[in-house]
Amino acid sequence: MTDRDHDAFRAEVRTWMQEHLRGEFAPLAGCGGLGDSRYDPKLAKRWEQELARGGWVGVGWPKEHGGRALPLSQQVVFHEEYVRAGGPGRLGHIGETLLAPTLMAFGTPPQQQRFLPGILAGTEYWAQGYSEPNAGSDLANVQTRARLEGDSWVIDGQKTWTSWAHESDWIFVVARCEAGSQRHRGLVMLLVPLRQPGVTIRPIRQITGDSEFNEVFFAGARTEASLHLGAPGEGWKVAMALLGFERGVSTLGQQAGFEREMECLVEVARRNGAARDPLMRQRIAHAAVALDALRCNALRVLAQGDEAEGAPVTREAYIAKYVWSNWRRDFGRLAADVLGAAATLPDDDPLAQKLRQVWLFSRSDTIYAGTNEIQLNLIAERALGMPR
Amino acid sequence: MTDRDHDAFRAEVRTWMQEHLRGEFAPLAGCGGLGDSRYDPKLAKRWEQELARGGWVGVGWPKEHGGRALPLSQQVVFHEEYVRAGGPGRLGHIGETLLAPTLMAFGTPPQQQRFLPGILAGTEYWAQGYSEPNAGSDLANVQTRARLEGDSWVIDGQKTWTSWAHESDWIFVVARCEAGSQRHRGLVMLLVPLRQPGVTIRPIRQITGDSEFNEVFFAGARTEASLHLGAPGEGWKVAMALLGFERGVSTLGQQAGFEREMECLVEVARRNGAARDPLMRQRIAHAAVALDALRCNALRVLAQGDEAEGAPVTREAYIAKYVWSNWRRDFGRLAADVLGAAATLPDDDPLAQKLRQVWLFSRSDTIYAGTNEIQLNLIAERALGMPR
Amino acid sequence: MDLRLTEEQRQIADSVGELLANASDSASMRRAAFDHGGFDAALWAQLGELGVCGINLPEAQGGLGLGVTELVLVAEEFGRRLACVPWLESAVLAGTAIASLGDDAVAARWLPPLASGERIVTLDIGLLECAPLAVRRSAAGWQLDGVLPAIPAAMAASSLLVPVQVDGERLLVIVALDATGMARRERANLDATRPIAEVRLTAVRVDESACLARGATVDRALDRSRQLAAVVLASEQVGVAQQCLDLTVAHLAQRVQFGKPLATFQALKHRCAQMMVDLELARSAVLGAARELDGGPDEGRRLRLTTMARSLADDAARYCTQEAIQLHGGVGFTWEYDPHLYFKRAQAARSWLGTPAEWRERFAHALLDEAAQ
Amino acid sequence: MDLRLTEEQRQIADSVGELLANASDSASMRRAAFDHGGFDAALWAQLGELGVCGINLPEAQGGLGLGVTELVLVAEEFGRRLACVPWLESAVLAGTAIASLGDDAVAARWLPPLASGERIVTLDIGLLECAPLAVRRSAAGWQLDGVLPAIPAAMAASSLLVPVQVDGERLLVIVALDATGMARRERANLDATRPIAEVRLTAVRVDESACLARGATVDRALDRSRQLAAVVLASEQVGVAQQCLDLTVAHLAQRVQFGKPLATFQALKHRCAQMMVDLELARSAVLGAARELDGGPDEGRRLRLTTMARSLADDAARYCTQEAIQLHGGVGFTWEYDPHLYFKRAQAARSWLGTPAEWRERFAHALLDEAAQ
């Protein structure tokens, strides 16, 4: 794949976005998704369907599952151009990039035939059920229980930090299916419909005042006996594989989103005079080039990925989550300092409003999906080979 | 003791220093002691004797031991004025402020009568023998052995990080006197003459290129059977008490030394233009007020001390070593940045030379006398009561 | 310099501490912040009875006649509990400004109700840039027009101190916030514990008698008040840091992961230790600054002391609020747990009364520039 | 942008890495640094044979005709071993400067011996401020007088590139370091791995033929060379950081305290992890910058890329050298262990070719100031 081919593809994405992210979808342009209060999930679902019609869902999926099987480098181009064109946060993200690859790896053909088309068409949405109140960093401390009763699994327990649960149709749940089993053993990964009497969703109010995450309570919730992914008892293996898919190509889209936030900060700093302060200049310049460095790191990760499927995780991949989340947390603080007193005093300026949201929401970045502390443990033990 | 009394005493110290730190002692003025290559230990010993004649050794010792029993607040004044007048690093420091209080607390009257006068007169110098190659942070891992043979203790083993060993007459040594004993048990604190065939001193070359510390090897070294401090087997208790005396009033003298270094940095920054750089200005201003804060912290520690002997260690006392050593390490780096390329290219400027020495020598500050890591452990476990 | 506290100093800190631990615990503070516009009137009344609204004001005017040390001891408790009362605004900023005018008649008229807490006075601390008020001479005094976009405690206060410029002269006037032509609008505020309002003046008449001072006295008094309040604010930040540390240590002690309390993990212990290091050093700085300010040092020294307190306390609050969220893990960024309230307050405080970097630059000028020598 | 390395790129990095791991191990490097004035002539000869002295120089002049990516891959190995050779000075700085003049005759005369390593050329990178050289016209050319206080590699080099100002025009001249009137004195240098000398010029005659370029070309070529070298230097800093991490992890694995290896203590593990985070991000930045520079981006982009590489690599080297000393404990600040050598080198590198803060300010001007748009 030469740079020239990429240029043509880049233009294709850009054109499509210009032609479709307008009209009824115009309000979504520039919305960040999670943490952005302007984001309208109902409209976002219609947008997912629009994307699906354009062939932009599952661009990296194999053709036999209805995907376009684009090489990694083109997937990168797609995600970059998508965000640069103002494409909003992807409500279908969890289904498309987490569940679908896991279904392809561990699902039965009937499971694949049943669930992949809904994801591909943007008609069915998925939430994830991993964390529990007592299993935050310690993911294996699963207390949610599942038992087979006739032709159903019956689930009792609680999951937390579930994003978009109230907008989703299904949830994948790690549950303990062998009574008395410990930690990684005796777990099952179940696919469970969210809209049923046994499931209660309670929003968790965040630092931003909004509720981006939820608690999901299961009280005798049911799903069909066949809807376990992988063998019962081997849920941990499936769950870990699923998390592995998370470090993917979509980080480049996320990166492009950060670049928009950076532009926003530059604009605000210019307007309010912070850009004339020598210290702010240093901090802004440092944040800008560190963001460029995140992009270089992501490209380094992807350069490996194109070569060797199933190769060991590289050092640049180990640091990826830690560096982007800490960059963004620092960026949030810088944004607040650039805003000055306006950081805590909302006004009508949409740019300032965006910065305020980043400032607060970024506090969760270093915590969810593996806290800083867990990341550093992993880096020390796995990448550096230090003893436990 | 009113501020007015202090003013008179302050003037007394100042006058004495002006009248005595001259003539043959002039080259010592402004010398930092450990880490300062201009420091001449022979001259420093004569200076200690001069101080002793002036009644300035043991100013805080009780009168029955020949001291002046000055209240803590006046001791502070003495140390501050001593350093402000350019008083050099104190070669007698270890004897005067570490061993002597321990002798007073644990020594027998004959031991006190034998050793305190030499310390008070500046005629006998002491070194400390705590650390070993395998007992750095883990002080209790003592492998140096001592056994009673007739009328002598016989010592075999190795101590390290011993400052001024080659200029000292005696060393106090923590040794294992009960074969097979573990860790804190079965230790003895011995007072051992350094100038004997069984003792070999090897300088350790440091980052500065100089040798401020030594290794001391004991191969059948001997000391009189009566020269154990406290009971044999209870050496750990004595050793810990001794270390407790280290957090003392002399920190104010050290503080005044840092203030001189700060003045030196300001002068260099003004001359070479670093003082015009907005970032350097922030860093210099921050370092200057943080140094003031160290002084406030030391005064807070001393305010407690005047009130309650044997009171529990306060929170401000727990942080004292950590904050000064990290301040100085950061200051060293700032000094190097202010010097720019001249940081690594020595020239004739004595101010620049002083800053270079601080830059390098300060790297040891966060390591000796309890590393940063040990300090943080202590703070977490003892001051914050977190579990081990 | 002797940093020992007297028995009386400990008592005043303890009594305010105890009062706030009960009256401004998390639930009460949240009620005041979110349901009552950030003002706990009952608590304010209790504080007034204790004399806390006039700690450093002259006894002749109903104050306690105490010093900066007492102010910072009490301020730390306010910061620790995020108490929803305009103490810094009225008792410290406005009170000190009026007392610093050196005008006995003015003091006798305005300070007693302020010191008792009956009357809440606030002033413009220039949080957001704006055009100066338009002032026109009128028969009995002046007429003011304009918008003050961000006045702290303006909803709870009854009077507002404003410096104005008339014919090249500075005047300090005091205006009733419910006077004709005054309109207040509470602003949305992410730091709900310190409410801020927009105040709009439309042809507001001010009598000659409402002019408290003229000329250089005005800015001297205001500078004095802002500088003192900056040290007091630093002490609040120490309280913010302390509460964050306490909450975090308690959380880590009870939260079990991987089969043991989080408090046993060395990396987390070191972070807590670093929090304590930062905040204890800041506390030493604040106590030292306060003690020396009590002695009435010269201007250069005041600048240095204020810079010290502000810099160190900001460092501590910044680090401790960040780590409190991080070390609480998932619940750390929920609304339900307290760390975010402290985090927002610490950020808001940076912009009050000169940022720490601004103080450092002013001090650097005195320290480094030839012209300043 | 594709960050995959080609097989050839890996090979050149590996072969230089292997050579240096043997020829510039700690003992050899110390010998060269302390006993041979910081120049390992035998190593330099081996590097010349490998073609490493002309990596990015045109094949027509004996170079390998490769790009920035190859330069940074090799530079990392130099930094990692603190190799005592004037590679950055001659092969990168002087070589790129001469090649950037765009004068085939000059290139043909000066580059081949430089690319082979036979001739070492250095230049003034302005480490210490000084008066410009005095230049007088003479019959056959010019006469130079003055002192250049800090010229890197001047003892090992045979020629010196100097820009001079004559009658308002810039000239780039090349002077033999052993010419009549040239005097070199090695300076004491705390970073002994990168020797620096004072060069004194007394009535030194320079022929017309020694003038390599005139006018705007001179500064354009020198700027180009300095900017490229800044990225290469950043890669050296990554190597410095990497070696510090490796030494530290190895030390912690073998050092036992409190009955277990230090490597099991979580707080120490987290610090090592942070070292790796910093240095891997810096490595990504350097590789990304190199790859894009290979494509010949415009000036604004070059500024941004150089700032990125320099900033991130400096952060990493600063943190990793500090932590290497700290985590080695007592032996960390001894002469015998290596961390101090890296620590000194990292500090010295900050002042080379523009400090990271200077690069950031230049970039900030382009990013933030209206005039720069």
Side-chain angles (χ1 to χ4, degrees):
Chain A
M1 188 70 49
T2 69
D3 276 353
R4 194 164 306 240
D5 295 329
H6 283 160
D7 288 346
F9 181 67
R10 208 173 271 285
E12 182 191 339
V13 180
R14 209 176 293 160
T15 307
W16 189 92
M17 288 295 287
Q18 274 165 10
E19 286 170 0
H20 293 79
L21 189 58
R22 56 204 268 183
E24 69 159 328
F25 298 120
L28 286 176
C31 276
L34 208 62
D36 189 331
S37 56
R38 295 171 305 150
Y39 190 64
D40 171 1
K42 298 284 168 287
L43 186 59
K45 286 186 183 178
R46 286 203 299 280
W47 169 248
E48 290 285 327
Q49 288 155 18
E50 185 77 9
L51 277 173
R53 279 189 292 274
W56 298 116
V57 177
V59 287
W61 293 14
K63 293 206 167 145
E64 69 261 35
H65 291 303
R68 288 172 67 174
L70 295 186
L72 210 53
S73 48
Q74 270 191 322
Q75 296 177 45
V76 168
V77 168
F78 168 68
H79 285 289
E80 289 187 343
E81 291 304 322
Y82 176 83
V83 178
R84 280 190 195 133
R90 295 287 310 278
L91 202 56
H93 170 77
I94 293 176
E96 182 191 3
T97 66
L98 292 183
L99 183 69
T102 316
L103 266 174
M104 294 175 204
F106 296 93
T108 60
Q111 286 174 343
Q112 294 172 350
Q113 284 148 26
R114 175 165 176 185
F115 293 113
L116 291 177
I119 294 171
L120 206 55
T123 51
E124 269 188 350
Y125 294 89
W126 285 82
Q128 62 169 309
Y130 269 44
S131 291
E132 298 185 4
N134 289 311
S137 290
D138 185 9
L139 267 186
N141 189 21
V142 174
Q143 283 165 28
T144 296
R145 298 174 311 285
R147 64 181 194 281
L148 263 180
E149 248 184 50
D151 59 354
S152 292
W153 288 97
V154 181
I155 302 130
D156 289 280
Q158 179 185 354
K159 294 291 176 179
T160 189
W161 311 123
T162 307
S163 47
W164 300 126
H166 44 305
E167 296 296 338
S168 300
D169 306 290
W170 290 82
I171 185 169
F172 47 84
V173 175
V174 186
R176 195 162 294 286
C177 61
E178 295 172 14
S181 63
Q182 292 288 317
R183 304 196 56 77
H184 313 86
R185 283 173 289 275
L187 301 175
V188 65
M189 170 74 86
L190 296 173
L191 311 178
V192 182
L194 273 167
R195 296 164 204 262
Q196 59 165 310
V199 172
T200 311
I201 297 170
R202 191 174 77 84
I204 303 174
R205 198 173 176 206
Q206 311 298 330
I207 184 172
T208 51
D210 299 326
S211 297
E212 295 91 7
F213 298 98
N214 302 276
E215 291 179 290
V216 180
F217 298 88
F218 300 89
R222 285 174 179 266
T223 195
E224 293 167 32
S226 65
L227 291 186
H228 51 86
L229 205 46
E234 294 185 5
W236 183 254
K237 193 176 76 181
V238 181
M240 287 299 104
L242 189 150
L243 283 183
F245 294 119
E246 198 162 10
R247 300 189 191 90
V249 71
S250 63
T251 54
L252 270 296
Q254 181 196 49
Q255 167 86 20
F258 296 168
E259 281 163 16
R260 284 206 311 229
E261 292 168 7
M262 188 78 223
E263 285 162 19
C264 176
L265 179 127
V266 166
E267 185 57 33
V268 169
R270 282 177 171 186
R271 277 195 213 157
N272 76 4
R276 288 192 300 274
D277 178 85
L279 290 139
M280 286 294 178
R281 292 166 74 82
Q282 284 287 320
R283 291 175 65 194
I284 295 170
H286 198 289
V289 298
L291 177 55
D292 291 352
L294 293 183
R295 180 163 186 274
C296 295
N297 195 68
L299 289 170
R300 236 177 112 203
V301 175
L302 293 173
Q304 296 300 326
D306 243 7
E307 279 175 23
E309 285 278 328
V313 181
T314 54
R315 291 158 66 105
E316 55 271 23
Y318 271 117
I319 71 167
K321 160 78 201 320
Y322 187 85
V323 290
W324 80 249
S325 59
N326 285 277
W327 177 86
R328 196 152 182 256
R329 187 172 75 170
D330 291 348
F331 175 83
R333 204 109 211 208
L334 171 59
D337 287 343
V338 162
L339 286 168
T344 46
L345 296 173
D347 51 29
D348 298 334
D349 178 4
L351 296 183
Q353 184 52 25
K354 188 179 182 80
L355 292 184
R356 273 179 217 109
Q357 268 174 337
V358 175
W359 167 49
L360 292 177
F361 191 76
S362 63
R363 291 287 129 180
S364 65
D365 288 334
T366 54
I367 294 173
Y368 71 72
T371 62
N372 270 355
E373 293 69 32
I374 291 295
Q375 300 295 336
L376 292 177
N377 283 347
L378 289 175
I379 292 168
E381 291 166 11
R382 302 208 185 152
L384 292 174
M386 299 178 82
R388 296 193 64 130
Chain B
M1 188 69 51
T2 68
D3 277 352
R4 194 164 306 241
D5 295 329
H6 282 161
D7 288 346
F9 181 68
R10 209 174 270 285
E12 182 190 339
V13 180
R14 210 175 293 158
T15 307
W16 191 91
M17 288 295 288
Q18 274 164 10
E19 286 169 0
H20 293 78
L21 189 58
R22 55 203 270 183
E24 68 158 328
F25 298 120
L28 286 176
C31 275
L34 209 60
D36 189 332
S37 56
R38 296 171 305 150
Y39 191 64
D40 171 2
K42 298 283 169 286
L43 186 59
K45 285 187 183 177
R46 287 204 298 281
W47 169 248
E48 289 285 327
Q49 288 155 20
E50 185 77 9
L51 277 173
R53 277 189 292 274
W56 298 116
V57 177
V59 288
W61 292 15
K63 293 207 166 143
E64 69 262 34
H65 292 301
R68 291 171 66 173
L70 295 185
L72 210 52
S73 49
Q74 270 190 320
Q75 296 177 45
V76 169
V77 168
F78 167 69
H79 285 289
E80 289 187 343
E81 291 305 322
Y82 176 84
V83 178
R84 279 190 196 133
R90 295 287 309 278
L91 203 54
H93 170 77
I94 293 176
E96 182 191 4
T97 65
L98 292 183
L99 183 70
T102 316
L103 267 174
M104 295 174 204
F106 295 93
T108 61
Q111 286 174 342
Q112 293 171 351
Q113 285 148 26
R114 176 164 176 185
F115 294 112
L116 291 177
I119 294 172
L120 207 54
T123 51
E124 269 186 350
Y125 293 89
W126 286 81
Q128 61 170 310
Y130 268 45
S131 290
E132 298 186 4
N134 289 311
S137 290
D138 184 8
L139 267 186
N141 190 22
V142 174
Q143 284 165 27
T144 296
R145 298 172 312 284
R147 64 182 193 281
L148 262 180
E149 249 184 47
D151 59 354
S152 293
W153 288 97
V154 180
I155 303 129
D156 289 281
Q158 177 185 355
K159 295 290 178 180
T160 188
W161 310 123
T162 307
S163 46
W164 299 127
H166 45 304
E167 296 296 339
S168 300
D169 306 292
W170 289 82
I171 185 169
F172 46 86
V173 175
V174 188
R176 194 162 295 286
C177 62
E178 295 172 14
S181 65
Q182 293 288 318
R183 303 197 55 77
H184 313 87
R185 284 172 290 275
L187 300 176
V188 65
M189 171 73 88
L190 295 175
L191 311 178
V192 183
L194 272 168
R195 296 162 204 261
Q196 59 166 310
V199 172
T200 310
I201 297 171
R202 191 175 76 85
I204 303 174
R205 198 174 177 206
Q206 311 298 329
I207 184 171
T208 52
D210 299 327
S211 297
E212 295 91 7
F213 298 97
N214 302 276
E215 291 179 290
V216 180
F217 298 88
F218 300 89
R222 285 173 178 266
T223 195
E224 293 167 31
S226 66
L227 291 186
H228 52 85
L229 204 46
E234 294 185 5
W236 183 254
K237 194 175 78 181
V238 182
M240 288 299 104
L242 189 149
L243 282 184
F245 294 120
E246 198 161 10
R247 301 189 191 89
V249 71
S250 63
T251 54
L252 270 296
Q254 180 196 48
Q255 168 86 20
F258 296 168
E259 281 162 15
R260 284 206 310 229
E261 292 168 5
M262 187 79 223
E263 285 162 19
C264 175
L265 178 126
V266 166
E267 185 58 32
V268 168
R270 282 178 172 187
R271 277 194 212 156
N272 76 3
R276 287 193 301 273
D277 177 84
L279 289 139
M280 287 292 180
R281 292 166 74 82
Q282 284 286 321
R283 290 175 67 193
I284 295 170
H286 199 287
V289 298
L291 177 56
D292 291 352
L294 293 183
R295 179 163 187 273
C296 296
N297 195 68
L299 289 169
R300 235 177 112 202
V301 175
L302 293 173
Q304 296 299 326
D306 244 8
E307 280 176 22
E309 286 277 328
V313 181
T314 54
R315 291 159 66 103
E316 55 272 24
Y318 272 115
I319 70 167
K321 160 77 200 323
Y322 187 85
V323 289
W324 78 251
S325 59
N326 285 277
W327 177 87
R328 195 153 181 258
R329 188 173 74 169
D330 291 348
F331 175 83
R333 204 109 212 210
L334 171 60
D337 287 343
V338 162
L339 287 169
T344 45
L345 296 174
D347 50 30
D348 299 333
D349 177 5
L351 296 183
Q353 184 51 24
K354 189 179 182 81
L355 292 184
R356 272 179 218 108
Q357 267 174 337
V358 175
W359 168 49
L360 292 178
F361 191 77
S362 63
R363 291 287 129 179
S364 66
D365 288 334
T366 54
I367 295 173
Y368 71 72
T371 62
N372 270 356
E373 293 69 31
I374 291 296
Q375 300 295 335
L376 292 176
N377 283 348
L378 288 175
I379 292 168
E381 290 166 12
R382 302 208 185 154
L384 292 174
M386 298 178 82
R388 297 193 61 132
Chain C
M1 193 171 61
D2 187 346
L3 281 186
R4 275 174 297 187
L5 298 180
T6 65
E7 200 46 50
E8 294 71 31
Q9 287 170 334
R10 286 189 197 184
Q11 269 169 9
I12 189 168
D14 288 350
S15 60
V16 174
E18 275 167 39
L19 171 60
L20 296 183
N22 294 310
S24 185
D25 64 354
S26 176
S28 311
M29 175 260 284
R30 283 168 178 259
R31 251 192 322 274
F34 300 114
D35 302 339
H36 299 288
F39 179 49
D40 186 335
L43 174 59
W44 182 251
Q46 286 180 279
L47 291 165
E49 278 164 33
L50 265 178
V52 174
C53 304
I55 288 177
N56 67 326
L57 299 179
E59 289 178 90
Q61 270 90 45
L64 300 182
L66 300 171
V68 189
T69 301
E70 288 83 357
L71 279 181
V72 300
L73 290 171
V74 168
E76 192 181 321
E77 303 296 334
F78 281 117
R80 194 179 171 118
R81 303 296 172 186
L82 301 184
C84 293
V85 287
W87 179 78
L88 183 69
E89 294 87 337
S90 186
V92 183
L93 272 163
T96 306
I98 294 172
S100 302
L101 294 172
D103 180 328
D104 289 345
V106 165
R109 171 158 176 208
W110 293 103
L111 288 182
L114 186 154
S116 70
E118 265 169 82
R119 180 182 286 273
I120 297 171
V121 183
T122 187
L123 42 63
D124 185 7
I125 57 163
L127 275 178
L128 295 176
E129 276 184 34
C130 64
L133 293 183
V135 190
R136 279 190 304 157
R137 268 293 346 166
S138 71
W142 305 271
Q143 181 178 314
L144 308 184
D145 283 274
V147 180
L148 301 169
I151 303 295
M155 303 306 286
S158 55
S159 305
L160 171 70
L161 283 175
V162 211
V164 295
Q165 193 83 11
V166 193
D167 303 333
E169 196 191 21
R170 287 286 266 177
L171 308 180
L172 183 66
V173 301
I174 189 162
V175 192
L177 278 155
D178 57 0
T180 309
M182 298 288 284
R184 294 175 266 184
R185 184 180 62 82
E186 191 177 342
R187 292 186 66 120
N189 189 347
L190 299 182
D191 171 18
T193 62
R194 189 150 260 170
I196 286 170
E198 178 190 273
V199 178
R200 192 171 285 271
L201 296 86
T202 314
V204 173
R205 282 154 191 270
V206 180
D207 276 3
E208 289 276 0
S209 68
C211 174
L212 306 191
R214 291 166 179 262
T217 310
V218 174
D219 286 315
R220 204 161 47 228
L222 290 178
D223 283 353
R224 195 66 183 250
S225 136
R226 287 169 62 94
Q227 202 174 42
L228 179 70
V231 175
V232 175
L233 180 66
S235 191
E236 280 194 9
Q237 295 272 69
V238 171
V240 162
Q242 180 70 61
Q243 182 70 1
C244 283
L245 174 57
D246 291 350
L247 290 173
T248 303
V249 169
H251 176 76
L252 295 179
Q254 60 82 17
R255 172 91 174 155
V256 173
Q257 294 268 276
F258 305 103
K260 49 187 185 171
L262 285 179
T264 59
F265 287 84
Q266 194 196 25
L268 308 187
K269 286 158 73 175
H270 277 201
R271 303 254 289 281
C272 290
Q274 185 69 56
M275 289 165 82
M276 187 184 119
V277 164
D278 284 11
L279 92 86
E280 287 297 335
L281 187 62
R283 181 178 281 135
S284 296
V286 167
L287 288 172
R291 179 53 51 103
E292 202 177 327
L293 286 171
D294 276 332
D298 67 24
E299 201 178 327
R301 192 71 203 151
R302 284 208 312 274
L303 170 58
R304 185 169 185 136
L305 294 166
T306 311
T307 306
M308 169 177 71
R310 196 84 170 89
S311 282
L312 280 279
D314 180 65
D315 291 348
R318 206 164 169 80
Y319 183 71
C320 292
T321 55
Q322 164 168 306
E323 292 300 299
I325 292 180
Q326 183 68 31
L327 295 177
H328 271 73
V331 299
F333 59 93
T334 61
W335 192 265
E336 185 185 346
Y337 282 69
D338 284 348
H340 75 99
L341 301 172
Y342 291 85
F343 176 73
K344 290 164 181 170
R345 168 89 155 221
Q347 180 69 38
R350 297 199 100 203
S351 306
W352 276 56
L353 307 168
T355 66
E358 284 162 0
W359 281 104
R360 286 193 290 269
E361 174 51 39
R362 286 178 61 191
F363 167 58
H365 177 61
L367 182 71
L368 297 172
D369 299 339
E370 296 299 339
Q373 297 301 304
Chain D
M1 193 170 61
D2 186 346
L3 282 185
R4 275 173 297 186
L5 298 179
T6 64
E7 199 46 49
E8 293 72 31
Q9 287 171 334
R10 286 189 198 185
Q11 269 171 7
I12 188 167
D14 288 349
S15 60
V16 174
E18 275 167 40
L19 170 61
L20 296 182
N22 293 310
S24 184
D25 63 355
S26 176
S28 312
M29 175 261 286
R30 283 169 177 259
R31 252 193 322 274
F34 300 115
D35 303 339
H36 300 287
F39 179 48
D40 186 337
L43 175 58
W44 182 251
Q46 287 180 278
L47 291 164
E49 278 163 35
L50 264 178
V52 174
C53 303
I55 288 178
N56 67 326
L57 300 178
E59 289 178 271
Q61 270 90 46
L64 300 182
L66 300 172
V68 188
T69 301
E70 287 84 356
L71 279 180
V72 300
L73 290 172
V74 168
E76 191 181 320
E77 302 297 333
F78 282 117
R80 193 179 172 116
R81 302 297 171 187
L82 301 184
C84 293
V85 286
W87 179 78
L88 184 68
E89 294 87 336
S90 186
V92 182
L93 272 164
T96 306
I98 294 172
S100 303
L101 294 172
D103 180 328
D104 289 346
V106 166
R109 171 157 177 208
W110 294 102
L111 289 183
L114 186 154
S116 70
E118 265 169 83
R119 179 182 286 273
I120 297 172
V121 183
T122 187
L123 42 62
D124 184 8
I125 58 163
L127 275 178
L128 296 175
E129 275 185 36
C130 65
L133 293 182
V135 190
R136 278 190 305 155
R137 271 284 356 160
S138 70
W142 305 272
Q143 179 178 313
L144 308 185
D145 283 274
V147 180
L148 300 170
I151 303 295
M155 302 306 286
S158 54
S159 305
L160 171 69
L161 282 176
V162 211
V164 295
Q165 192 85 12
V166 193
D167 304 333
E169 195 191 20
R170 288 284 267 178
L171 309 180
L172 183 66
V173 301
I174 189 161
V175 191
L177 278 156
D178 57 1
T180 309
M182 297 289 284
R184 295 176 265 186
R185 183 179 64 80
E186 192 176 342
R187 293 186 67 120
N189 189 347
L190 300 181
D191 171 17
T193 61
R194 188 150 260 169
I196 285 170
E198 180 191 272
V199 177
R200 194 171 284 272
L201 296 85
T202 314
V204 172
R205 280 154 194 270
V206 179
D207 276 3
E208 288 277 358
S209 69
C211 174
L212 306 191
R214 293 166 178 261
T217 309
V218 173
D219 286 315
R220 204 161 47 227
L222 290 177
D223 282 353
R224 196 65 184 250
S225 137
R226 287 169 62 94
Q227 201 174 43
L228 179 70
V231 175
V232 175
L233 180 66
S235 192
E236 279 194 10
Q237 295 272 68
V238 171
V240 162
Q242 180 69 61
Q243 182 69 0
C244 283
L245 174 57
D246 291 352
L247 290 173
T248 303
V249 169
H251 176 77
L252 295 178
Q254 60 82 16
R255 172 91 175 155
V256 173
Q257 294 268 276
F258 305 104
K260 49 186 184 171
L262 285 178
T264 59
F265 287 85
Q266 193 196 26
L268 309 187
K269 286 158 72 174
H270 277 201
R271 303 254 289 281
C272 291
Q274 185 68 56
M275 289 166 82
M276 186 183 119
V277 164
D278 284 11
L279 92 86
E280 288 296 336
L281 187 62
R283 180 177 280 136
S284 296
V286 167
L287 288 173
R291 179 54 51 102
E292 202 177 327
L293 286 171
D294 276 333
D298 66 23
E299 202 179 325
R301 193 69 203 153
R302 284 208 312 273
L303 170 59
R304 184 168 187 139
L305 293 167
T306 310
T307 306
M308 169 178 72
R310 197 83 171 89
S311 282
L312 279 280
D314 181 65
D315 291 348
R318 206 165 169 80
Y319 183 71
C320 292
T321 55
Q322 163 168 305
E323 292 300 299
I325 291 179
Q326 182 69 31
L327 294 177
H328 272 73
V331 298
F333 59 93
T334 60
W335 192 265
E336 185 186 346
Y337 282 69
D338 284 347
H340 75 99
L341 301 173
Y342 290 86
F343 177 72
K344 291 164 180 170
R345 167 90 155 220
Q347 180 68 38
R350 296 199 101 203
S351 306
W352 276 56
L353 307 169
T355 66
E358 284 163 358
W359 281 104
R360 285 193 290 269
E361 174 50 39
R362 287 178 61 192
F363 168 57
H365 177 62
L367 182 71
L368 298 171
D369 299 339
E370 296 299 338
Q373 299 302 303

